Amino acid sequence: FTSCCPAWVKFCETRYPELADNISTCRSPQQMFGAVIREYYRNPEINQGKKLVSVSIMPCTAKKEEILRPESMTNGRQDVDYVLTTTEVASMIRKSGIRFENIDGESTDMPFGIGSGGGVIFGVTGGVTEAVLRRLQTGHSRVEMDRIRTSGVRGDEGLKELTFDYMGKEIRAAVVNGLGNADKLIKRIQSGEVSYDFVEVMACRRGCIMGGGQPVGAGPRTRKARAKGLYDTDVNMQIKKSNENPMVLALYEGLLKGKTHQLLHRNLGVTEN
Ligand code: SF4
């Protein structure tokens, strides 16, 4: 089971504790990035004596609780200090009178300003699975990306099932969104009716685009536009796979060397290798 949705992780731990060991040990994107940022700014040459305060902006209210989960902390230390929802940030922007038309645009601070399409599409149901399929796929041509896109991973159904070939082995995956749908799927898994190698679960219907921190009252047109916004952004990104992001590769060769489990995985007694 995927581990990027804290509401799902909590649901599994409380409703199906016997399955909790099947959840990936990977921290969520928020917790991975929080740990990496904190580690990066520990260097006195980089922090220049300034105190770091880490603030996430998220579509999700469950992310506020996630930063306090002990197994997602680094050496017992909280990595992310505050979480603001997108609705809260929008309200702060309005209240402070910021007018975007009067602001000069600028690029994201380096070295963390380079992302991949695989990261962008995490926000819509099926996006995590699609990013994993991209990672497994050796090539990155348009034909190969299209094959993944049309594999059944996209669409806003509550449950999608697909198979894909990985080095001659058939991998069976399920993509489920909404905890009611997840509950039904788990019962089918436990009864032996179905089995999968990989299951993506998002607690919110249609994924984070419809998270509890997003503006409420989104109808069908808005829902569609939010998903389209992410997919359109992905189309224009030159880097499609996280493992081809030069920034990620540089991190593994530098800052993360010998610390991948400490910083990127939940603290479940996993040892470094
Ligand atoms: S699916 Fe919902 S609860 Fe889960 S991480 Fe996304 S916004 Fe949060």
Side-chain angles (χ1 to χ4, degrees), residues 4-8 58-63 66 122-123 177-178 201-214:
C4 46
C5 171
W8 147 246
M58 289 283 157
C60 175
T61 47
K63 292 279 172 192
E66 186 186 41
F122 254 56
N177 58 90
V201 189
M202 292 291 169
C204 300
R205 274 288 284 128
R206 300 173 178 85
C208 302
I209 53 169
M210 294 302 290
Q214 294 274 64

mmCIF file with all atom_site columns, all heavy atoms in Angstrom, residues 4-8 58-63 66 122-123 177-178 201-214, ligand 1:
data_model
loop_
_atom_site.group_PDB
_atom_site.id
_atom_site.type_symbol
_atom_site.label_atom_id
_atom_site.label_alt_id
_atom_site.label_comp_id
_atom_site.label_asym_id
_atom_site.label_entity_id
_atom_site.label_seq_id
_atom_site.pdbx_PDB_ins_code
_atom_site.Cartn_x
_atom_site.Cartn_y
_atom_site.Cartn_z
_atom_site.occupancy
_atom_site.B_iso_or_equiv
_atom_site.pdbx_formal_charge
_atom_site.auth_seq_id
_atom_site.auth_comp_id
_atom_site.auth_asym_id
_atom_site.auth_atom_id
_atom_site.pdbx_PDB_model_num
ATOM   1   N  N   . CYS A 1 4   ? 1.618   7.858  1.045  1.00 0.00 ? 4   CYS A N   1
ATOM   2   C  CA  . CYS A 1 4   ? 1.704   9.328  0.961  1.00 0.00 ? 4   CYS A CA  1
ATOM   3   C  C   . CYS A 1 4   ? 0.494   10.037 1.543  1.00 0.00 ? 4   CYS A C   1
ATOM   4   O  O   . CYS A 1 4   ? 0.549   11.243 1.777  1.00 0.00 ? 4   CYS A O   1
ATOM   5   C  CB  . CYS A 1 4   ? 1.931   9.754  -0.484 1.00 0.00 ? 4   CYS A CB  1
ATOM   6   S  SG  . CYS A 1 4   ? 0.874   8.913  -1.646 1.00 0.00 ? 4   CYS A SG  1
ATOM   7   N  N   . CYS A 1 5   ? -0.603  9.327  1.807  1.00 0.00 ? 5   CYS A N   1
ATOM   8   C  CA  . CYS A 1 5   ? -1.823  9.953  2.334  1.00 0.00 ? 5   CYS A CA  1
ATOM   9   C  C   . CYS A 1 5   ? -1.958  9.625  3.829  1.00 0.00 ? 5   CYS A C   1
ATOM   10  O  O   . CYS A 1 5   ? -2.263  8.489  4.199  1.00 0.00 ? 5   CYS A O   1
ATOM   11  C  CB  . CYS A 1 5   ? -3.031  9.423  1.561  1.00 0.00 ? 5   CYS A CB  1
ATOM   12  S  SG  . CYS A 1 5   ? -4.605  9.927  2.295  1.00 0.00 ? 5   CYS A SG  1
ATOM   13  N  N   . PRO A 1 6   ? -1.753  10.606 4.707  1.00 0.00 ? 6   PRO A N   1
ATOM   14  C  CA  . PRO A 1 6   ? -1.789  10.310 6.148  1.00 0.00 ? 6   PRO A CA  1
ATOM   15  C  C   . PRO A 1 6   ? -3.173  9.885  6.657  1.00 0.00 ? 6   PRO A C   1
ATOM   16  O  O   . PRO A 1 6   ? -3.268  9.135  7.629  1.00 0.00 ? 6   PRO A O   1
ATOM   17  C  CB  . PRO A 1 6   ? -1.335  11.623 6.804  1.00 0.00 ? 6   PRO A CB  1
ATOM   18  C  CG  . PRO A 1 6   ? -1.530  12.677 5.773  1.00 0.00 ? 6   PRO A CG  1
ATOM   19  C  CD  . PRO A 1 6   ? -1.395  12.006 4.444  1.00 0.00 ? 6   PRO A CD  1
ATOM   20  N  N   . ALA A 1 7   ? -4.231  10.355 5.986  1.00 0.00 ? 7   ALA A N   1
ATOM   21  C  CA  . ALA A 1 7   ? -5.573  9.953  6.418  1.00 0.00 ? 7   ALA A CA  1
ATOM   22  C  C   . ALA A 1 7   ? -5.771  8.457  6.148  1.00 0.00 ? 7   ALA A C   1
ATOM   23  O  O   . ALA A 1 7   ? -6.380  7.733  6.950  1.00 0.00 ? 7   ALA A O   1
ATOM   24  C  CB  . ALA A 1 7   ? -6.630  10.780 5.692  1.00 0.00 ? 7   ALA A CB  1
ATOM   25  N  N   . TRP A 1 8   ? -5.262  7.993  5.037  1.00 0.00 ? 8   TRP A N   1
ATOM   26  C  CA  . TRP A 1 8   ? -5.328  6.558  4.726  1.00 0.00 ? 8   TRP A CA  1
ATOM   27  C  C   . TRP A 1 8   ? -4.474  5.762  5.711  1.00 0.00 ? 8   TRP A C   1
ATOM   28  O  O   . TRP A 1 8   ? -4.906  4.725  6.214  1.00 0.00 ? 8   TRP A O   1
ATOM   29  C  CB  . TRP A 1 8   ? -4.899  6.305  3.275  1.00 0.00 ? 8   TRP A CB  1
ATOM   30  C  CG  . TRP A 1 8   ? -4.197  4.995  3.065  1.00 0.00 ? 8   TRP A CG  1
ATOM   31  C  CD1 . TRP A 1 8   ? -2.899  4.810  2.701  1.00 0.00 ? 8   TRP A CD1 1
ATOM   32  C  CD2 . TRP A 1 8   ? -4.747  3.676  3.242  1.00 0.00 ? 8   TRP A CD2 1
ATOM   33  N  NE1 . TRP A 1 8   ? -2.593  3.471  2.636  1.00 0.00 ? 8   TRP A NE1 1
ATOM   34  C  CE2 . TRP A 1 8   ? -3.711  2.749  2.966  1.00 0.00 ? 8   TRP A CE2 1
ATOM   35  C  CE3 . TRP A 1 8   ? -6.006  3.191  3.611  1.00 0.00 ? 8   TRP A CE3 1
ATOM   36  C  CZ2 . TRP A 1 8   ? -3.891  1.380  3.049  1.00 0.00 ? 8   TRP A CZ2 1
ATOM   37  C  CZ3 . TRP A 1 8   ? -6.193  1.808  3.693  1.00 0.00 ? 8   TRP A CZ3 1
ATOM   38  C  CH2 . TRP A 1 8   ? -5.157  0.923  3.414  1.00 0.00 ? 8   TRP A CH2 1
ATOM   39  N  N   . MET A 1 58  ? -0.469  22.926 1.733  1.00 0.00 ? 58  MET A N   1
ATOM   40  C  CA  . MET A 1 58  ? -1.021  21.621 1.350  1.00 0.00 ? 58  MET A CA  1
ATOM   41  C  C   . MET A 1 58  ? -2.524  21.716 1.021  1.00 0.00 ? 58  MET A C   1
ATOM   42  O  O   . MET A 1 58  ? -3.210  22.576 1.559  1.00 0.00 ? 58  MET A O   1
ATOM   43  C  CB  . MET A 1 58  ? -0.858  20.640 2.517  1.00 0.00 ? 58  MET A CB  1
ATOM   44  C  CG  . MET A 1 58  ? 0.561   20.206 2.760  1.00 0.00 ? 58  MET A CG  1
ATOM   45  S  SD  . MET A 1 58  ? 1.033   18.978 1.510  1.00 0.00 ? 58  MET A SD  1
ATOM   46  C  CE  . MET A 1 58  ? 2.799   19.152 1.535  1.00 0.00 ? 58  MET A CE  1
ATOM   47  N  N   . PRO A 1 59  ? -3.018  20.795 0.211  1.00 0.00 ? 59  PRO A N   1
ATOM   48  C  CA  . PRO A 1 59  ? -4.460  20.759 -0.055 1.00 0.00 ? 59  PRO A CA  1
ATOM   49  C  C   . PRO A 1 59  ? -5.219  19.999 1.032  1.00 0.00 ? 59  PRO A C   1
ATOM   50  O  O   . PRO A 1 59  ? -6.388  19.669 0.873  1.00 0.00 ? 59  PRO A O   1
ATOM   51  C  CB  . PRO A 1 59  ? -4.532  20.003 -1.378 1.00 0.00 ? 59  PRO A CB  1
ATOM   52  C  CG  . PRO A 1 59  ? -3.368  19.065 -1.302 1.00 0.00 ? 59  PRO A CG  1
ATOM   53  C  CD  . PRO A 1 59  ? -2.284  19.785 -0.551 1.00 0.00 ? 59  PRO A CD  1
ATOM   54  N  N   . CYS A 1 60  ? -4.556  19.721 2.138  1.00 0.00 ? 60  CYS A N   1
ATOM   55  C  CA  . CYS A 1 60  ? -4.967  18.630 3.022  1.00 0.00 ? 60  CYS A CA  1
ATOM   56  C  C   . CYS A 1 60  ? -4.956  19.048 4.491  1.00 0.00 ? 60  CYS A C   1
ATOM   57  O  O   . CYS A 1 60  ? -3.965  19.634 4.958  1.00 0.00 ? 60  CYS A O   1
ATOM   58  C  CB  . CYS A 1 60  ? -3.941  17.519 2.797  1.00 0.00 ? 60  CYS A CB  1
ATOM   59  S  SG  . CYS A 1 60  ? -4.101  16.101 3.856  1.00 0.00 ? 60  CYS A SG  1
ATOM   60  N  N   . THR A 1 61  ? -6.017  18.757 5.220  1.00 0.00 ? 61  THR A N   1
ATOM   61  C  CA  . THR A 1 61  ? -6.019  19.041 6.661  1.00 0.00 ? 61  THR A CA  1
ATOM   62  C  C   . THR A 1 61  ? -5.296  17.934 7.436  1.00 0.00 ? 61  THR A C   1
ATOM   63  O  O   . THR A 1 61  ? -4.724  18.203 8.495  1.00 0.00 ? 61  THR A O   1
ATOM   64  C  CB  . THR A 1 61  ? -7.468  19.175 7.178  1.00 0.00 ? 61  THR A CB  1
ATOM   65  O  OG1 . THR A 1 61  ? -8.232  18.080 6.662  1.00 0.00 ? 61  THR A OG1 1
ATOM   66  C  CG2 . THR A 1 61  ? -8.104  20.474 6.709  1.00 0.00 ? 61  THR A CG2 1
ATOM   67  N  N   . ALA A 1 62  ? -5.293  16.705 6.905  1.00 0.00 ? 62  ALA A N   1
ATOM   68  C  CA  . ALA A 1 62  ? -4.612  15.595 7.607  1.00 0.00 ? 62  ALA A CA  1
ATOM   69  C  C   . ALA A 1 62  ? -3.102  15.820 7.690  1.00 0.00 ? 62  ALA A C   1
ATOM   70  O  O   . ALA A 1 62  ? -2.437  15.261 8.555  1.00 0.00 ? 62  ALA A O   1
ATOM   71  C  CB  . ALA A 1 62  ? -4.915  14.273 6.902  1.00 0.00 ? 62  ALA A CB  1
ATOM   72  N  N   . LYS A 1 63  ? -2.574  16.635 6.792  1.00 0.00 ? 63  LYS A N   1
ATOM   73  C  CA  . LYS A 1 63  ? -1.130  16.916 6.814  1.00 0.00 ? 63  LYS A CA  1
ATOM   74  C  C   . LYS A 1 63  ? -0.729  17.688 8.065  1.00 0.00 ? 63  LYS A C   1
ATOM   75  O  O   . LYS A 1 63  ? 0.424   17.685 8.461  1.00 0.00 ? 63  LYS A O   1
ATOM   76  C  CB  . LYS A 1 63  ? -0.731  17.713 5.569  1.00 0.00 ? 63  LYS A CB  1
ATOM   77  C  CG  . LYS A 1 63  ? -0.846  16.928 4.281  1.00 0.00 ? 63  LYS A CG  1
ATOM   78  C  CD  . LYS A 1 63  ? 0.356   16.028 4.082  1.00 0.00 ? 63  LYS A CD  1
ATOM   79  C  CE  . LYS A 1 63  ? 0.172   15.107 2.901  1.00 0.00 ? 63  LYS A CE  1
ATOM   80  N  NZ  . LYS A 1 63  ? 1.179   14.050 2.869  1.00 0.00 ? 63  LYS A NZ  1
ATOM   81  N  N   . GLU A 1 66  ? -0.047  15.036 10.487 1.00 0.00 ? 66  GLU A N   1
ATOM   82  C  CA  . GLU A 1 66  ? 1.057   14.167 10.069 1.00 0.00 ? 66  GLU A CA  1
ATOM   83  C  C   . GLU A 1 66  ? 2.417   14.659 10.577 1.00 0.00 ? 66  GLU A C   1
ATOM   84  O  O   . GLU A 1 66  ? 3.282   13.861 10.937 1.00 0.00 ? 66  GLU A O   1
ATOM   85  C  CB  . GLU A 1 66  ? 1.102   14.065 8.539  1.00 0.00 ? 66  GLU A CB  1
ATOM   86  C  CG  . GLU A 1 66  ? 2.139   13.068 8.044  1.00 0.00 ? 66  GLU A CG  1
ATOM   87  C  CD  . GLU A 1 66  ? 2.298   13.065 6.538  1.00 0.00 ? 66  GLU A CD  1
ATOM   88  O  OE1 . GLU A 1 66  ? 2.297   14.148 5.931  1.00 0.00 ? 66  GLU A OE1 1
ATOM   89  O  OE2 . GLU A 1 66  ? 2.428   11.973 5.970  1.00 0.00 ? 66  GLU A OE2 1
ATOM   90  N  N   . PHE A 1 122 ? 1.164   13.469 -8.625 1.00 0.00 ? 122 PHE A N   1
ATOM   91  C  CA  . PHE A 1 122 ? 0.825   12.827 -7.343 1.00 0.00 ? 122 PHE A CA  1
ATOM   92  C  C   . PHE A 1 122 ? -0.523  13.321 -6.806 1.00 0.00 ? 122 PHE A C   1
ATOM   93  O  O   . PHE A 1 122 ? -1.195  12.629 -6.050 1.00 0.00 ? 122 PHE A O   1
ATOM   94  C  CB  . PHE A 1 122 ? 1.901   13.165 -6.291 1.00 0.00 ? 122 PHE A CB  1
ATOM   95  C  CG  . PHE A 1 122 ? 2.837   12.030 -5.967 1.00 0.00 ? 122 PHE A CG  1
ATOM   96  C  CD1 . PHE A 1 122 ? 3.572   11.405 -6.952 1.00 0.00 ? 122 PHE A CD1 1
ATOM   97  C  CD2 . PHE A 1 122 ? 3.003   11.611 -4.657 1.00 0.00 ? 122 PHE A CD2 1
ATOM   98  C  CE1 . PHE A 1 122 ? 4.448   10.378 -6.644 1.00 0.00 ? 122 PHE A CE1 1
ATOM   99  C  CE2 . PHE A 1 122 ? 3.877   10.581 -4.337 1.00 0.00 ? 122 PHE A CE2 1
ATOM   100 C  CZ  . PHE A 1 122 ? 4.602   9.963  -5.331 1.00 0.00 ? 122 PHE A CZ  1
ATOM   101 N  N   . GLY A 1 123 ? -0.892  14.552 -7.180 1.00 0.00 ? 123 GLY A N   1
ATOM   102 C  CA  . GLY A 1 123 ? -2.075  15.172 -6.581 1.00 0.00 ? 123 GLY A CA  1
ATOM   103 C  C   . GLY A 1 123 ? -3.403  14.661 -7.091 1.00 0.00 ? 123 GLY A C   1
ATOM   104 O  O   . GLY A 1 123 ? -4.457  15.029 -6.561 1.00 0.00 ? 123 GLY A O   1
ATOM   105 N  N   . ASN A 1 177 ? -9.669  5.449  -4.454 1.00 0.00 ? 177 ASN A N   1
ATOM   106 C  CA  . ASN A 1 177 ? -9.771  6.750  -3.801 1.00 0.00 ? 177 ASN A CA  1
ATOM   107 C  C   . ASN A 1 177 ? -11.106 6.860  -3.082 1.00 0.00 ? 177 ASN A C   1
ATOM   108 O  O   . ASN A 1 177 ? -12.115 6.370  -3.550 1.00 0.00 ? 177 ASN A O   1
ATOM   109 C  CB  . ASN A 1 177 ? -9.541  7.894  -4.799 1.00 0.00 ? 177 ASN A CB  1
ATOM   110 C  CG  . ASN A 1 177 ? -10.511 7.860  -5.957 1.00 0.00 ? 177 ASN A CG  1
ATOM   111 O  OD1 . ASN A 1 177 ? -11.583 8.442  -5.901 1.00 0.00 ? 177 ASN A OD1 1
ATOM   112 N  ND2 . ASN A 1 177 ? -10.144 7.150  -7.034 1.00 0.00 ? 177 ASN A ND2 1
ATOM   113 N  N   . GLY A 1 178 ? -11.056 7.502  -1.892 1.00 0.00 ? 178 GLY A N   1
ATOM   114 C  CA  . GLY A 1 178 ? -12.223 7.518  -1.010 1.00 0.00 ? 178 GLY A CA  1
ATOM   115 C  C   . GLY A 1 178 ? -12.115 6.371  -0.031 1.00 0.00 ? 178 GLY A C   1
ATOM   116 O  O   . GLY A 1 178 ? -11.888 5.222  -0.452 1.00 0.00 ? 178 GLY A O   1
ATOM   117 N  N   . VAL A 1 201 ? -3.730  4.129  -2.407 1.00 0.00 ? 201 VAL A N   1
ATOM   118 C  CA  . VAL A 1 201 ? -4.943  4.569  -1.705 1.00 0.00 ? 201 VAL A CA  1
ATOM   119 C  C   . VAL A 1 201 ? -4.840  6.061  -1.405 1.00 0.00 ? 201 VAL A C   1
ATOM   120 O  O   . VAL A 1 201 ? -3.848  6.527  -0.843 1.00 0.00 ? 201 VAL A O   1
ATOM   121 C  CB  . VAL A 1 201 ? -5.159  3.826  -0.371 1.00 0.00 ? 201 VAL A CB  1
ATOM   122 C  CG1 . VAL A 1 201 ? -6.542  4.162  0.200  1.00 0.00 ? 201 VAL A CG1 1
ATOM   123 C  CG2 . VAL A 1 201 ? -5.005  2.327  -0.529 1.00 0.00 ? 201 VAL A CG2 1
ATOM   124 N  N   . MET A 1 202 ? -5.875  6.789  -1.767 1.00 0.00 ? 202 MET A N   1
ATOM   125 C  CA  . MET A 1 202 ? -6.031  8.204  -1.405 1.00 0.00 ? 202 MET A CA  1
ATOM   126 C  C   . MET A 1 202 ? -7.354  8.326  -0.649 1.00 0.00 ? 202 MET A C   1
ATOM   127 O  O   . MET A 1 202 ? -8.384  7.856  -1.136 1.00 0.00 ? 202 MET A O   1
ATOM   128 C  CB  . MET A 1 202 ? -6.081  9.088  -2.659 1.00 0.00 ? 202 MET A CB  1
ATOM   129 C  CG  . MET A 1 202 ? -4.781  9.142  -3.417 1.00 0.00 ? 202 MET A CG  1
ATOM   130 S  SD  . MET A 1 202 ? -3.533  10.029 -2.457 1.00 0.00 ? 202 MET A SD  1
ATOM   131 C  CE  . MET A 1 202 ? -2.099  9.635  -3.421 1.00 0.00 ? 202 MET A CE  1
ATOM   132 N  N   . ALA A 1 203 ? -7.309  8.951  0.504  1.00 0.00 ? 203 ALA A N   1
ATOM   133 C  CA  . ALA A 1 203 ? -8.525  9.035  1.318  1.00 0.00 ? 203 ALA A CA  1
ATOM   134 C  C   . ALA A 1 203 ? -9.602  9.895  0.667  1.00 0.00 ? 203 ALA A C   1
ATOM   135 O  O   . ALA A 1 203 ? -10.799 9.667  0.844  1.00 0.00 ? 203 ALA A O   1
ATOM   136 C  CB  . ALA A 1 203 ? -8.179  9.583  2.705  1.00 0.00 ? 203 ALA A CB  1
ATOM   137 N  N   . CYS A 1 204 ? -9.195  10.904 -0.067 1.00 0.00 ? 204 CYS A N   1
ATOM   138 C  CA  . CYS A 1 204 ? -10.176 11.809 -0.683 1.00 0.00 ? 204 CYS A CA  1
ATOM   139 C  C   . CYS A 1 204 ? -10.585 11.299 -2.058 1.00 0.00 ? 204 CYS A C   1
ATOM   140 O  O   . CYS A 1 204 ? -9.730  10.821 -2.818 1.00 0.00 ? 204 CYS A O   1
ATOM   141 C  CB  . CYS A 1 204 ? -9.583  13.207 -0.836 1.00 0.00 ? 204 CYS A CB  1
ATOM   142 S  SG  . CYS A 1 204 ? -9.088  13.938 0.731  1.00 0.00 ? 204 CYS A SG  1
ATOM   143 N  N   . ARG A 1 205 ? -11.866 11.418 -2.345 1.00 0.00 ? 205 ARG A N   1
ATOM   144 C  CA  . ARG A 1 205 ? -12.324 11.043 -3.683 1.00 0.00 ? 205 ARG A CA  1
ATOM   145 C  C   . ARG A 1 205 ? -11.600 11.886 -4.726 1.00 0.00 ? 205 ARG A C   1
ATOM   146 O  O   . ARG A 1 205 ? -11.511 13.093 -4.596 1.00 0.00 ? 205 ARG A O   1
ATOM   147 C  CB  . ARG A 1 205 ? -13.846 11.260 -3.800 1.00 0.00 ? 205 ARG A CB  1
ATOM   148 C  CG  . ARG A 1 205 ? -14.662 10.096 -3.321 1.00 0.00 ? 205 ARG A CG  1
ATOM   149 C  CD  . ARG A 1 205 ? -14.617 8.887  -4.265 1.00 0.00 ? 205 ARG A CD  1
ATOM   150 N  NE  . ARG A 1 205 ? -15.449 9.063  -5.462 1.00 0.00 ? 205 ARG A NE  1
ATOM   151 C  CZ  . ARG A 1 205 ? -15.000 8.896  -6.695 1.00 0.00 ? 205 ARG A CZ  1
ATOM   152 N  NH1 . ARG A 1 205 ? -13.750 8.560  -6.934 1.00 0.00 ? 205 ARG A NH1 1
ATOM   153 N  NH2 . ARG A 1 205 ? -15.823 9.064  -7.725 1.00 0.00 ? 205 ARG A NH2 1
ATOM   154 N  N   . ARG A 1 206 ? -11.046 11.266 -5.686 1.00 0.00 ? 206 ARG A N   1
ATOM   155 C  CA  . ARG A 1 206 ? -10.288 11.876 -6.794 1.00 0.00 ? 206 ARG A CA  1
ATOM   156 C  C   . ARG A 1 206 ? -8.899  12.352 -6.378 1.00 0.00 ? 206 ARG A C   1
ATOM   157 O  O   . ARG A 1 206 ? -8.207  13.003 -7.132 1.00 0.00 ? 206 ARG A O   1
ATOM   158 C  CB  . ARG A 1 206 ? -11.064 13.025 -7.452 1.00 0.00 ? 206 ARG A CB  1
ATOM   159 C  CG  . ARG A 1 206 ? -12.403 12.553 -8.029 1.00 0.00 ? 206 ARG A CG  1
ATOM   160 C  CD  . ARG A 1 206 ? -13.270 13.660 -8.540 1.00 0.00 ? 206 ARG A CD  1
ATOM   161 N  NE  . ARG A 1 206 ? -14.498 13.112 -9.099 1.00 0.00 ? 206 ARG A NE  1
ATOM   162 C  CZ  . ARG A 1 206 ? -15.574 12.817 -8.366 1.00 0.00 ? 206 ARG A CZ  1
ATOM   163 N  NH1 . ARG A 1 206 ? -15.589 13.026 -7.062 1.00 0.00 ? 206 ARG A NH1 1
ATOM   164 N  NH2 . ARG A 1 206 ? -16.638 12.292 -8.947 1.00 0.00 ? 206 ARG A NH2 1
ATOM   165 N  N   . GLY A 1 207 ? -8.513  12.070 -5.147 1.00 0.00 ? 207 GLY A N   1
ATOM   166 C  CA  . GLY A 1 207 ? -7.157  12.408 -4.714 1.00 0.00 ? 207 GLY A CA  1
ATOM   167 C  C   . GLY A 1 207 ? -7.053  13.795 -4.092 1.00 0.00 ? 207 GLY A C   1
ATOM   168 O  O   . GLY A 1 207 ? -8.061  14.421 -3.750 1.00 0.00 ? 207 GLY A O   1
ATOM   169 N  N   . CYS A 1 208 ? -5.820  14.271 -3.951 1.00 0.00 ? 208 CYS A N   1
ATOM   170 C  CA  . CYS A 1 208 ? -5.559  15.520 -3.216 1.00 0.00 ? 208 CYS A CA  1
ATOM   171 C  C   . CYS A 1 208 ? -6.172  16.743 -3.879 1.00 0.00 ? 208 CYS A C   1
ATOM   172 O  O   . CYS A 1 208 ? -6.367  17.764 -3.208 1.00 0.00 ? 208 CYS A O   1
ATOM   173 C  CB  . CYS A 1 208 ? -4.061  15.735 -3.074 1.00 0.00 ? 208 CYS A CB  1
ATOM   174 S  SG  . CYS A 1 208 ? -3.207  14.389 -2.241 1.00 0.00 ? 208 CYS A SG  1
ATOM   175 N  N   . ILE A 1 209 ? -6.487  16.676 -5.164 1.00 0.00 ? 209 ILE A N   1
ATOM   176 C  CA  . ILE A 1 209 ? -7.136  17.822 -5.798 1.00 0.00 ? 209 ILE A CA  1
ATOM   177 C  C   . ILE A 1 209 ? -8.451  18.143 -5.107 1.00 0.00 ? 209 ILE A C   1
ATOM   178 O  O   . ILE A 1 209 ? -8.920  19.276 -5.157 1.00 0.00 ? 209 ILE A O   1
ATOM   179 C  CB  . ILE A 1 209 ? -7.387  17.602 -7.319 1.00 0.00 ? 209 ILE A CB  1
ATOM   180 C  CG1 . ILE A 1 209 ? -8.151  16.297 -7.557 1.00 0.00 ? 209 ILE A CG1 1
ATOM   181 C  CG2 . ILE A 1 209 ? -6.090  17.656 -8.100 1.00 0.00 ? 209 ILE A CG2 1
ATOM   182 C  CD1 . ILE A 1 209 ? -8.661  16.131 -8.988 1.00 0.00 ? 209 ILE A CD1 1
ATOM   183 N  N   . MET A 1 210 ? -9.035  17.141 -4.432 1.00 0.00 ? 210 MET A N   1
ATOM   184 C  CA  . MET A 1 210 ? -10.293 17.362 -3.705 1.00 0.00 ? 210 MET A CA  1
ATOM   185 C  C   . MET A 1 210 ? -10.074 17.233 -2.197 1.00 0.00 ? 210 MET A C   1
ATOM   186 O  O   . MET A 1 210 ? -10.972 16.840 -1.454 1.00 0.00 ? 210 MET A O   1
ATOM   187 C  CB  . MET A 1 210 ? -11.344 16.348 -4.177 1.00 0.00 ? 210 MET A CB  1
ATOM   188 C  CG  . MET A 1 210 ? -11.765 16.533 -5.620 1.00 0.00 ? 210 MET A CG  1
ATOM   189 S  SD  . MET A 1 210 ? -12.446 18.168 -5.952 1.00 0.00 ? 210 MET A SD  1
ATOM   190 C  CE  . MET A 1 210 ? -13.982 18.034 -5.046 1.00 0.00 ? 210 MET A CE  1
ATOM   191 N  N   . GLY A 1 211 ? -8.871  17.564 -1.746 1.00 0.00 ? 211 GLY A N   1
ATOM   192 C  CA  . GLY A 1 211 ? -8.540  17.464 -0.326 1.00 0.00 ? 211 GLY A CA  1
ATOM   193 C  C   . GLY A 1 211 ? -9.352  18.418 0.539  1.00 0.00 ? 211 GLY A C   1
ATOM   194 O  O   . GLY A 1 211 ? -9.897  19.417 0.057  1.00 0.00 ? 211 GLY A O   1
ATOM   195 N  N   . GLY A 1 212 ? -9.394  18.104 1.832  1.00 0.00 ? 212 GLY A N   1
ATOM   196 C  CA  . GLY A 1 212 ? -10.189 18.896 2.778  1.00 0.00 ? 212 GLY A CA  1
ATOM   197 C  C   . GLY A 1 212 ? -9.670  20.304 2.973  1.00 0.00 ? 212 GLY A C   1
ATOM   198 O  O   . GLY A 1 212 ? -10.366 21.157 3.524  1.00 0.00 ? 212 GLY A O   1
ATOM   199 N  N   . GLY A 1 213 ? -8.438  20.590 2.532  1.00 0.00 ? 213 GLY A N   1
ATOM   200 C  CA  . GLY A 1 213 ? -7.900  21.947 2.662  1.00 0.00 ? 213 GLY A CA  1
ATOM   201 C  C   . GLY A 1 213 ? -8.134  22.804 1.439  1.00 0.00 ? 213 GLY A C   1
ATOM   202 O  O   . GLY A 1 213 ? -7.754  23.970 1.399  1.00 0.00 ? 213 GLY A O   1
ATOM   203 N  N   . GLN A 1 214 ? -8.753  22.207 0.413  1.00 0.00 ? 214 GLN A N   1
ATOM   204 C  CA  . GLN A 1 214 ? -8.995  22.936 -0.832 1.00 0.00 ? 214 GLN A CA  1
ATOM   205 C  C   . GLN A 1 214 ? -10.300 23.730 -0.723 1.00 0.00 ? 214 GLN A C   1
ATOM   206 O  O   . GLN A 1 214 ? -11.161 23.408 0.105  1.00 0.00 ? 214 GLN A O   1
ATOM   207 C  CB  . GLN A 1 214 ? -9.135  21.946 -1.996 1.00 0.00 ? 214 GLN A CB  1
ATOM   208 C  CG  . GLN A 1 214 ? -7.883  21.172 -2.316 1.00 0.00 ? 214 GLN A CG  1
ATOM   209 C  CD  . GLN A 1 214 ? -6.981  21.936 -3.279 1.00 0.00 ? 214 GLN A CD  1
ATOM   210 O  OE1 . GLN A 1 214 ? -6.487  22.994 -2.942 1.00 0.00 ? 214 GLN A OE1 1
ATOM   211 N  NE2 . GLN A 1 214 ? -6.742  21.376 -4.438 1.00 0.00 ? 214 GLN A NE2 1
HETATM 212 S  S1  . SF4 B 2 .   ? -5.957  12.270 -0.472 1.00 0.00 ? 1   SF4 B S1  1
HETATM 213 FE FE1 . SF4 B 2 .   ? -6.852  13.814 0.897  1.00 0.00 ? 1   SF4 B FE1 1
HETATM 214 S  S2  . SF4 B 2 .   ? -6.295  13.199 2.976  1.00 0.00 ? 1   SF4 B S2  1
HETATM 215 FE FE2 . SF4 B 2 .   ? -4.955  12.085 1.546  1.00 0.00 ? 1   SF4 B FE2 1
HETATM 216 S  S3  . SF4 B 2 .   ? -3.099  13.352 1.354  1.00 0.00 ? 1   SF4 B S3  1
HETATM 217 FE FE3 . SF4 B 2 .   ? -4.458  13.946 -0.317 1.00 0.00 ? 1   SF4 B FE3 1
HETATM 218 S  S4  . SF4 B 2 .   ? -5.652  15.672 0.476  1.00 0.00 ? 1   SF4 B S4  1
HETATM 219 FE FE4 . SF4 B 2 .   ? -4.725  14.626 2.249  1.00 0.00 ? 1   SF4 B FE4 1
#
